[in-house]
Amino acid sequence: AQSVTQLGSHVSVSEGALVLLRCNYSSSVPPYLFWYVQYPNQGLQLLLKYTSAATLVKGINGFEAEFKKSETSFHLTKPSAHMSDAAEYFCAVSVAPGNQFYFGTGTSLTVIP
Amino acid sequence: GAVVSQHPSWVICKSGTSVKIECRSLDFQATTMFWYRQFPKQSLMLMATSNEGSKATYEQGVEKDKFLINHASLTLSTLTVTSAHPEDSSFYICSARPRDTEAFFGQGTRLTVV
């Protein structure tokens, strides 16, 4: 079975500060890992994905994430937060083409001016 | 990236009526689509997997007679909430995977039952 745990349901950072959103996964087989962002009353937008290629993955809007198998982690980072980054972020895992996604409980990011 | 379009984006209906939500893949064919439900400030809960030309697969605890799913073509899946009640009010999101990897999501539908 697959699962994702996101530590911290709410994260607040100052504008310009480092953003770190944590995600740990559980999977019995090599996983595909994803980060999605959701703005209020909207669907999910893909930020980045890991699909067994490079362990450091760069995404849109300056976000990146590193796959660490030894730690079963896939934390999302951004060097400098912008006000527009305030949103809900979801980590997700999938294990095979066509299989469903398993989502974490989400982390709400607040950026303080 | 691929586009998944969901309609309507919001709907208000009276208790006891039925509501249909459409999910279309605009630039790819989707043999499988997924329907999720999201409560305020919570994650997405998979309701069912919609398979083109066959019956949908429902997750445990999801009433198949209440949430009717039809996947009549490779680009369209519909979710019908039958005899809606206020507790069915929620945000419903569909998704599809055009390739082996990432899923693309519709814009979501905000359903309010009054």
Side-chain angles (χ1 to χ4, degrees), chain B residues 30-48:
Chain B
T31 55
T32 302
M33 290 186 178
F34 302 91
W35 287 96
Y36 295 86
R37 182 174 181 176
Q38 186 181 30
F39 292 100
K41 304 296 184 182
Q42 295 189 30
S43 188
L44 283 74
M45 180 192 76
L46 179 68
M47 299 176 65

Side-chain angles (χ1 to χ4, degrees), chain A residues 32 34 36 38 41-44 46 49 51 88 90 94 96-101 103-106 108, chain B residues 32 34 36 38 41-44 46 49 59 91 93 97 99-108 110:
Chain A
Y32 295 158
F34 308 82
Y36 284 87
Q38 184 182 34
N41 291 310
Q42 294 188 27
L44 277 68
L46 179 68
K49 62 182 179 183
T51 56
E88 191 81 16
F90 292 97
S94 180
N99 276 17
Q100 70 183 69
F101 278 47
F103 286 90
T105 49
S108 178
Chain B
T32 302
F34 302 91
Y36 295 86
Q38 186 181 30
K41 304 296 184 182
Q42 295 189 30
S43 188
L44 283 74
L46 179 68
T49 301
E59 294 300 300
F91 195 59
I93 306 176
R97 300 178 76 169
R99 294 177 289 277
D100 291 348
T101 55
E102 78 262 28
F104 292 88
F105 291 81
Q107 307 95 313
R110 172 73 60 195

Side-chain angles (χ1 to χ4, degrees), chain A residues 6-27:
Chain A
Q6 289 183 243
L7 296 177
S9 58
H10 294 88
V11 170
S12 293
V13 299
S14 297
E15 190 174 15
L18 171 71
V19 176
L20 171 60
L21 305 182
R22 299 177 186 276
C23 172
N24 288 87
Y25 70 91
S26 172
S27 177

Side-chain angles (χ1 to χ4, degrees), chain B residues 23-98:
Chain B
C23 180
R24 294 182 184 273
S25 56
L26 297 187
D27 50 2
F28 66 97
Q29 293 182 332
T31 55
T32 302
M33 290 186 178
F34 302 91
W35 287 96
Y36 295 86
R37 182 174 181 176
Q38 186 181 30
F39 292 100
K41 304 296 184 182
Q42 295 189 30
S43 188
L44 283 74
M45 180 192 76
L46 179 68
M47 299 176 65
T49 301
S50 171
N51 304 298
E52 188 269 336
S54 64
K55 292 183 178 180
T57 303
Y58 290 82
E59 294 300 300
Q60 191 172 10
V62 178
E63 299 176 62
K64 63 178 68 175
D65 294 332
K66 180 163 193 61
F67 298 100
L68 299 180
I69 290 173
N70 183 275
H71 195 152
S73 77
L74 288 172
T75 59
L76 174 64
S77 176
T78 60
L79 168 67
T80 301
V81 183
T82 62
S83 186
H85 291 282
E87 58 265 30
D88 300 323
S89 298
S90 192
F91 195 59
Y92 294 87
I93 306 176
C94 69
S95 78
R97 300 178 76 169

